[in-house]
Amino acid sequence: MAKNREVVDKFGKRHTFSEGMEGVVATSSEICFINGAEGRLFYRGIPIEDLAENSTFEETSYFLLYGELPTQKELHDFDTRLKKYRAIPDPVLEILKQMPRKANTMQILRTVVSLMGLYEEKSDEHSVSETSREAEKLIAVFPTIVAAIQRLREGKEPISPDKSLGHAANLIYMVNGEKPDAYAARVLDVCLILHAEHGFNASTFTSRVVISTLTDVHSAITAAIGSLRGPLHGGANEGVMHLLNEIGSLEAVDEVIRLKLKTKAKIMGFGHRVYKVLDPRAKILSQYSERLAEITGKQKYYAMSKKIEEIMENEVGDRGIYPNVDFFSASVYHYLGFNLEIYTPIFAVSRISGWAAHVMEQLRENRLFRPSSVYLGDIDRTYPKISDR
Ligand code: ACO
């Protein structure tokens, strides 16, 4: 249920509005449909389960950007372009190397993407071809930036992209220097598909608001990264890992979670503005987490996650609070060997496709976003001289 708020303004006029714009229709879109009551998600009409089973991140990105699934040739050409655009421009890489190692990865990613905008020759132009070229370049380069940030933090040299590897496998390779096995690469590929798009969430809406001023694409994407970073949004997957580490053992789950619920603390990775049942992406990720726990022989994080899910279902399930996409992605990334600092950046590596698709859609029939608010401050105050204050 939307949290409606009723206020009376200084003129005695009563206003009712939805806090956090819950349920407010901001514009129309053909990119994503979410049925929050039944836990269904569709990218351009295709159920997320079908895409997770049959597609690749590259194909899904093409589909989101251009509206139709690619032919073999279109996919080949798209993939070739992505591979061509993977490298970070040299001057940007040099500046990246100077950035503080301890800074938050999302903040560095945001800064680097903003910086890359300086090297785009025509980033203020909004022709379809120019915008789609910029979108493809950003999708291609995000993994290279995230991997470079992580390597530099560890005191290692960034690794150049490998054209023989797909998008997901190449990310793993650039992070740890070893080519992954086919299963690990496929798991990450599915993670990237699942996180690629999700309607008018905070970061996507941010990108559309920013581009609606007809500013450059890099400004819109830079703002979206800043939005995704927050713990109420994409930052929650790191929050989940912190929670799992804080709990520490399967035996301690019960006590810690119940105490947190008692003190009204939010459990990261649970709850969603739209889903009031299990997030379909969490369902898929839960299965991968279970499989990875078996393969690696390290049951702890999956077992703890399942126990938390069980307690939460009993305690708050009737209030529509279930695992969201961030909950099981934490243990999946853990099993894939990723460092906690790049969990949210991996989300960005995927969501750039959705942001770019929305930026392109917004530009096709743009109208400036300019909502209003109810003014509750004072009116007609006199201006006191500074000596009288
Ligand atoms: N743990 C415990 N209680 C919760 C949780 C949670 N994770 N989520 C919501 N609630 C409770 C709130 O405390 C509140 O209770 P109250 O009515 O007694 O005050 C009620 O449910 C409604 O919560 P809101 O925060 O108002 O609901 P909203 O629609 O804004 O929630 C949100 C969405 C922000 C995602 C929230 O569920 C949350 O903070 N979850 C934890 C962070 C998280 O996992 N974010 C990732 C979301 S998915 C994504 O962005 C990719």
Side-chain angles (χ1 to χ4, degrees):
M1 269 251 299
K3 284 197 176 177
N4 283 331
R5 191 168 154 208
E6 226 179 77
V7 292
V8 179
D9 69 18
K10 296 285 167 181
F11 308 97
K13 195 173 165 202
R14 188 173 295 278
H15 302 263
T16 308
F17 61 93
S18 175
E19 282 280 21
M21 294 177 76
E22 180 167 0
V24 173
V25 175
T27 185
S28 63
S29 174
E30 294 179 359
I31 301 173
C32 181
F33 177 66
I34 307 166
N35 179 336
E38 293 176 14
R40 303 292 317 276
L41 167 63
F42 304 82
Y43 292 175
R44 296 197 180 275
I46 298 188
I48 192 65
E49 293 81 5
D50 282 2
L51 291 166
E53 175 129 11
N54 302 307
S55 189
T56 60
F57 176 71
E58 290 89 325
E59 184 186 60
T60 297
S61 297
Y62 183 100
F63 185 40
L64 289 170
L65 292 183
Y66 301 116
E68 290 298 337
L69 282 166
T71 61
Q72 197 75 53
K73 179 175 183 320
E74 285 166 338
L75 183 57
H76 175 268
D77 292 350
F78 181 65
D79 189 42
T80 305
R81 291 197 298 276
L82 289 186
K83 284 176 173 157
K84 183 175 121 194
Y85 298 143
R86 275 179 182 169
I88 303 171
D90 285 340
V92 177
L93 186 58
E94 284 315 307
I95 299 171
L96 169 57
K97 286 180 178 175
Q98 307 304 316
M99 290 182 190
R101 300 272 153 100
K102 284 188 177 164
N104 175 277
T105 316
M106 285 295 278
Q107 288 180 300
I108 304 181
L109 174 66
R110 185 198 65 212
T111 307
V112 172
V113 169
S114 177
L115 195 57
M116 286 192 63
L118 305 181
Y119 296 87
E120 280 296 326
E121 278 166 23
K122 292 183 188 168
S123 54
D124 273 331
E125 222 179 81
H126 293 111
S127 65
V128 175
S129 62
E130 182 63 25
T131 308
S132 57
R133 193 180 64 85
E134 286 184 50
E136 291 182 0
K137 286 176 91 169
L138 285 167
I139 293 169
V141 80
F142 263 44
T144 321
I145 301 170
V146 170
I149 298 169
Q150 183 58 22
R151 303 259 325 160
L152 290 167
R153 176 179 293 116
E154 292 168 357
K156 299 172 184 162
E157 268 302 299
I159 294 175
S160 301
D162 182 333
K163 281 191 178 163
S164 72
L165 298 173
H167 203 75
N170 182 51
L171 172 58
I172 299 176
Y173 166 67
M174 290 189 296
V175 170
N176 65 23
E178 281 172 27
K179 293 184 184 177
D181 63 50
Y183 187 70
R186 179 59 192 157
V187 175
L188 182 60
D189 199 20
V190 173
C191 291
L192 297 182
I193 293 169
L194 296 178
H195 287 80
E197 162 57 15
H198 210 239
F200 270 57
N201 56 83
S203 58
T204 303
F205 186 46
T206 300
S207 71
R208 289 190 77 133
V209 170
V210 175
I211 203 67
S212 83
T213 69
L214 297 184
T215 183
D216 60 285
V217 172
H218 286 75
S219 291
I221 301 301
T222 300
I225 298 169
S227 168
L228 185 70
R229 186 193 162 210
L232 297 187
H233 192 11
N237 60 12
E238 289 180 22
V240 174
M241 205 57 205
H242 284 301
L243 175 69
L244 292 171
N245 286 331
E246 178 197 333
I247 297 172
S249 71
L250 184 59
E251 295 68 37
V253 169
D254 205 81
E255 192 186 334
V256 177
I257 296 300
R258 285 182 203 285
L259 184 66
K260 283 189 184 291
L261 288 176
K262 212 167 151 189
T263 54
K264 291 223 160 253
K266 280 193 171 170
I267 308 299
M268 291 292 115
F270 281 82
H272 199 277
R273 182 62 67 78
V274 184
Y275 294 119
K276 298 306 164 197
V277 294
L278 181 64
D279 182 329
R281 303 165 297 174
K283 196 171 169 186
I284 298 169
L285 288 166
S286 167
Q287 290 159 0
Y288 278 105
S289 179
E290 181 178 15
R291 183 81 190 102
L292 287 165
E294 278 166 20
I295 292 172
T296 58
K298 296 178 187 163
Q299 291 289 334
K300 184 171 141 185
Y301 284 86
Y302 172 69
M304 285 167 73
S305 302
K306 284 305 278 183
K307 182 77 186 158
I308 297 172
E309 184 186 22
E310 185 193 312
I311 298 169
M312 289 295 280
E313 179 158 9
N314 289 334
E315 295 298 318
V316 292
D318 59 346
R319 297 176 60 198
I321 301 171
Y322 284 89
N324 58 51
V325 69
D326 287 321
F327 188 62
F328 285 102
S329 67
S331 50
V332 168
Y333 295 159
H334 165 77
Y335 288 127
L336 289 177
F338 289 120
N339 196 306
L340 170 62
E341 280 115 5
I342 60 167
Y343 285 16
T344 312
I346 293 173
F347 193 150
V349 162
S350 164
R351 187 55 61 85
I352 174 62
S353 294
W355 292 333
H358 278 273
V359 162
M360 287 164 68
E361 186 180 69
Q362 181 65 35
L363 286 171
R364 266 198 295 280
E365 276 185 66
N366 186 54
R367 182 139 200 265
L368 177 72
F369 281 103
R370 206 309 184 186
S372 56
S373 64
V374 181
Y375 180 68
L376 295 177
D378 292 328
I379 288 182
D380 268 347
R381 292 174 65 189
T382 47
Y383 176 83
K385 285 187 195 149
I386 196 160
S387 55
D388 297 339
R389 288 175 219 161

